[in-house]
């Protein structure tokens, strides 16, 4: 009898610089596990490019703040036009169709008013949850 590996779990704190690559790396790792994963964000991570969650297996991911609507994502000056999270590829031939994702207890903020882009872009997303999210200075919150 085989035993499934435990779900992926990680807690990220701000590095003091650009946190895009770190967060993308753990989103990718969670997307490659059949048990899915949970990413706890403790503080405000600076993101300067779009983050993609395009899983290769159906497991799902939860992105959760440690302090309700205070921990999350901060888009610094100069990155106002980016999409922040893209879930799914928008192409059924790429990645898992209808991935499961949860965004919970997050703040998604921009230093300046965003001039374009979407905070959370759900493309072919399956059973998904977004709860207790505060958006500040966003151009579009959901699509």
């Amino acid at each position: 009898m085989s035993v499934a590996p435990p779900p992926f779990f990680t807690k990220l704190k701000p590095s003091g610089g650009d946190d895009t690559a770190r967060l993308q790396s753990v989103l990718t790792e969670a997307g490659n596990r059949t048990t899915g994963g949970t990413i706890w964000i403790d503080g405000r991570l600076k993101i300067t490019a779009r983050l993609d969650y395009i899983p290769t297996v159906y497991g799902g991911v939860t992105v959760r703040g440690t302090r309700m609507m205070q921990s999350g994502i901060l888009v610094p000056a100069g990155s106002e036009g980016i999409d922040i999270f893209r879930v799914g590829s928008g192409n059924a031939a790429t990645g898992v169709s209808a991935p499961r994702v949860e965004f919970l207890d997050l703040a998604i903020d921009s230093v300046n008013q965003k001039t374009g882009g979407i905070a959370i872009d759900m493309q072919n997303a399956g059973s998904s949850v977004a709860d207790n999210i505060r958006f500040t200075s966003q151009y579009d919150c959901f699509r």
Side-chain angles (χ1 to χ4, degrees), residues 46-100:
K46 289 182 185 171
I47 303 301
T48 59
R50 183 183 73 208
L51 299 161
D52 292 313
Y53 177 64
I54 304 172
T56 57
V57 294
Y58 191 81
V61 69
T62 298
V63 179
R64 182 173 215 147
T66 59
R67 293 183 306 264
M68 188 183 308
M69 294 185 284
Q70 294 177 24
S71 295
I73 303 300
L74 177 65
V75 177
S79 298
E80 292 87 357
I82 67 167
D83 293 344
I84 299 172
F85 286 104
R86 182 175 72 169
V87 177
S89 65
N91 177 354
T94 306
V96 171
S97 179
R100 183 194 63 78

Side-chain angles (χ1 to χ4, degrees), residues 31-55:
N32 291 331
R33 290 176 172 248
T34 57
T35 54
T38 300
I39 301 165
W40 286 87
I41 297 176
D42 186 9
R44 293 167 48 130
L45 302 180
K46 289 182 185 171
I47 303 301
T48 59
R50 183 183 73 208
L51 299 161
D52 292 313
Y53 177 64
I54 304 172

